[in-house]
C-alpha cells in the first residue's frame, strides 16, 4: 500500500478504458479516443495539499450519497 501511495496516479488498463468508451457510446456520448483516466490511492496520513482536496471532495460525495440512501430507506419504511 505504501508503494501505491508514493507512486501516485496510475493509468487504467486499456481493457477498462475500452469498457468506459463502450458505455459512453451506448449512451450516445462522444469521447476522444485518447481518453486519460487515472486512479490513485489516497491517505489522510500521507497527504499533499492536492490529495487533501481530493479527500475532501470524496467525503462530500459520500455524505450526499448517504443522505440519499437514508432518505430512500425512510420513504420505503413509511410506505
Amino acid at each position: 500500500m505504501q508503494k501505491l501511495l508514493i507512486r501516485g496516479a496510475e493509468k487504467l488498463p486499456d481493457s477498462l478504458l475500452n469498457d468506459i468508451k463502450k458505455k459512453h457510446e451506448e449512451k450516445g456520448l462522444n469521447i476522444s479516443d485518447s481518453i486519460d483516466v487515472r486512479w490513485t490511492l489516497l491517505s489522510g496520513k500521507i497527504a499533499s495539499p492536492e490529495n487533501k482536496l481530493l479527500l475532501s471532495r470524496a467525503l462530500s460525495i459520500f455524505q450526499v450519497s448517504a443522505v440519499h440512501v437514508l432518505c430512500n430507506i425512510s420513504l420505503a419504511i413509511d410506505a
Side-chain angles (χ1 to χ4, degrees):
M1 293 270 239
Q2 193 72 19
K3 289 180 182 178
L4 288 173
L5 287 168
I6 293 169
R7 282 198 307 238
E10 296 193 17
K11 193 170 182 176
L12 286 181
D14 287 339
S15 60
L16 293 177
L17 290 175
N18 290 336
D19 290 343
I20 291 170
K21 289 177 188 176
K22 183 178 175 184
K23 288 290 182 184
H24 278 87
E25 289 171 1
E26 288 173 1
K27 293 181 179 186
L29 304 172
N30 292 325
I31 59 170
S32 160
D33 284 335
S34 61
I35 185 172
D36 183 18
V37 179
R38 296 174 183 270
W39 69 274
T40 189
L41 182 65
L42 299 173
S43 168
K45 291 182 180 181
I46 306 171
S48 67
E50 178 183 294
N51 285 352
K52 286 182 182 180
L53 178 61
L54 290 172
L55 285 168
S56 175
R57 288 182 182 169
L59 178 61
S60 296
I61 291 168
F62 284 120
Q63 289 171 332
V64 169
S65 297
V67 167
H68 287 277
V69 169
L70 292 174
C71 286
N72 288 333
I73 291 172
S74 177
L75 289 173
I77 291 172
D78 291 342

